[in-house]
Amino acid sequence: MPSVITIQQTIMIQAQVHHVEDVLQAEAQALLLGTLVAKALNLTTYMAYLSDSKLLIQTLTSDNPIQATTNYRIRSQLSEIMLNTQGRNAQYIKIQRTQNSQEHRLAKQAATFTGNTHCLFSCFHLDHTSNCPVRHALQSVQWGSFSLFSVTCI
């Protein structure tokens, strides 16, 4: 009988995006960043994207997210998210805001960040003893409007 091995990896990224006008746009940008990271790592198995934004998750799980949104500001992000997850097993999950308290604290910290422009990278994943594939993959990505402050691979 075959056995099933599940490999779970968590990547926490603290970043800042420029020219965001509202909370929904910031949530869409954060989710877009997650899809960019998954694409850079060439992840094709199950990917769960979590957000406490009910409107964003409802939009992304609709038949046509771009037409479903009434917020024209996030249409380009929705388009990029759909493109980045095309052919991948992606699921968008609404979580309670209380489950997202650390992320909100980090987001507030990133919003006020004006210091060093270099990204602090840490890897604690047991299978990445000598060379972290996350670090290697993320170094080759053009981040556009995103400024990465810290990346932690667990």
Side-chain angles (χ1 to χ4, degrees):
M1 177 151 81
S3 61
V4 177
I5 299 173
T6 302
I7 298 172
Q8 184 174 359
Q9 181 169 348
T10 300
I11 304 167
M12 295 189 311
I13 299 173
Q14 188 176 14
Q16 186 177 55
V17 64
H18 308 286
H19 312 296
V20 174
E21 297 181 28
D22 58 41
V23 174
L24 183 61
Q25 193 176 16
E27 291 281 348
Q29 288 282 17
L31 205 137
L32 172 59
L33 179 59
T35 66
L36 288 170
V37 169
K39 188 174 179 181
L41 293 170
N42 199 27
L43 301 176
T44 57
T45 57
Y46 174 75
M47 296 295 305
Y49 296 99
L50 312 176
S51 176
D52 62 13
S53 172
K54 182 179 179 180
L55 182 57
L56 181 60
I57 297 301
Q58 284 177 339
T59 301
L60 284 166
T61 56
S62 68
D63 289 337
N64 189 336
I66 297 164
Q67 287 183 345
T69 187
T70 57
N71 187 329
Y72 69 92
R73 290 185 185 119
I74 67 166
R75 286 189 174 151
S76 64
Q77 289 91 4
L78 292 174
S79 179
E80 285 186 68
I81 290 168
M82 302 312 292
L83 183 65
N84 290 340
T85 58
Q86 185 177 1
R88 299 172 192 270
N89 189 5
Q91 184 177 10
Y92 308 102
I93 301 170
K94 163 72 172 85
I95 61 171
Q96 296 299 317
R97 193 160 299 234
T98 55
Q99 292 176 284
N100 213 16
S101 59
Q102 180 179 357
E103 287 77 6
H104 277 282
R105 182 182 56 75
L106 292 172
K108 285 181 183 179
Q109 187 181 38
T112 60
F113 188 81
T114 57
N116 190 350
T117 58
H118 298 289
C119 180
L120 174 64
F121 187 88
S122 305
C123 181
F124 302 103
H125 196 283
L126 296 176
D127 293 336
H128 301 170
T129 54
S130 62
N131 189 17
C132 180
V134 174
R135 181 178 195 153
H136 178 70
L138 297 184
Q139 288 176 338
S140 65
V141 175
Q142 296 295 320
W143 294 108
S145 64
F146 294 103
S147 298
L148 300 186
F149 299 132
S150 68
V151 177
T152 305
C153 177
I154 302 171

